[in-house]
Amino acid sequence: MSDITPTFQGEMQLAGWNQTHNGGSKVTFWLPDDSDLEPFKGLTAKKGNTAGHRFMVVMVEIGDDEQPVVKESLTTEKPKGGELSKWAGILCNDEKFWEWLSFETEILGYLITDNDEARMRLIEICGITSRAELDHDKEAARIFREEIMSPFNDWRESQ
């Protein structure tokens, strides 16, 4: 196996990018020092239909603190709701559920009067931040079935 020497290793700054129908996509970077350009000077650039030298590139955006920038959308995917979250949504829109939730849960004396209050109480009981998590968190699903759905259905049938 041969030794691989990087053509360039270091920090660079995005200068711009463009995309045209006939020129394709292009990204331009500023190098920190003119001497950083030396390894590229003898290489062929793309001209017409003739490809230039190819490179494998790995880049990580860094912040002012010199640490990698963590993109929220890349690190945290919101779970999608399924059947349990649909049932939770239906319950939270049911005025009878509001009544049951007001008197049968631990917040005695606090009346739930709309679907947002019902949703907030439901996710608090289940220990989640979104009803969609009911379909991805086994413990939250168990709590929802055993401590909310089943007792509410029993209460509703007794009415």
Side-chain angles (χ1 to χ4, degrees):
M1 185 149 107
S2 64
D3 290 335
I4 299 173
T5 304
T7 303
F8 172 80
Q9 183 175 349
E11 184 178 328
M12 57 178 63
Q13 186 176 11
L14 180 65
W17 62 270
N18 71 13
Q19 185 176 34
T20 62
H21 72 283
N22 60 355
S25 302
K26 179 172 59 173
V27 179
T28 306
F29 293 96
W30 284 308
L31 297 172
D33 189 81
D34 289 344
S35 64
D36 292 325
L37 187 59
E38 287 304 317
F40 297 101
K41 286 186 175 178
L43 303 178
T44 306
K46 182 177 180 177
K47 294 178 185 171
N49 291 329
T50 306
H53 285 82
R54 297 175 59 217
F55 296 88
M56 171 146 326
V57 179
V58 176
M59 300 175 125
V60 177
E61 182 182 356
I62 57 173
D64 292 338
D65 60 357
E66 302 299 319
Q67 297 300 310
V69 173
V70 178
K71 301 287 186 182
E72 190 68 29
S73 63
L74 298 176
T75 59
T76 308
E77 268 190 44
K78 263 181 113 174
K80 295 190 188 251
E83 288 303 311
L84 287 181
S85 63
K86 287 178 188 173
W87 274 110
I90 290 168
L91 287 179
C92 288
N93 284 309
D94 183 340
E95 291 184 24
K96 286 289 187 188
F97 181 68
W98 304 348
E99 183 181 343
W100 174 81
L101 199 55
S102 294
F103 294 106
E104 297 295 323
T105 64
E106 295 176 10
I107 306 181
L108 296 174
Y110 178 76
L111 294 178
I112 295 187
T113 59
D114 64 30
N115 61 355
D116 282 335
E117 291 174 352
R119 179 183 57 80
M120 292 302 290
R121 183 67 181 125
L122 183 143
I123 65 175
E124 179 183 19
I125 292 168
C126 294
I128 53 180
T129 58
S130 164
R131 290 183 296 219
E133 293 176 46
L134 291 171
D135 295 291
H136 304 279
D137 183 321
K138 290 181 182 179
E139 180 61 12
R142 183 197 65 74
I143 292 169
F144 178 66
R145 287 186 183 106
E146 295 177 10
E147 297 181 24
I148 295 177
M149 278 187 79
S150 184
F152 171 65
N153 287 332
D154 292 345
W155 175 83
R156 188 172 50 189
E157 288 176 10
S158 72
Q159 294 294 304

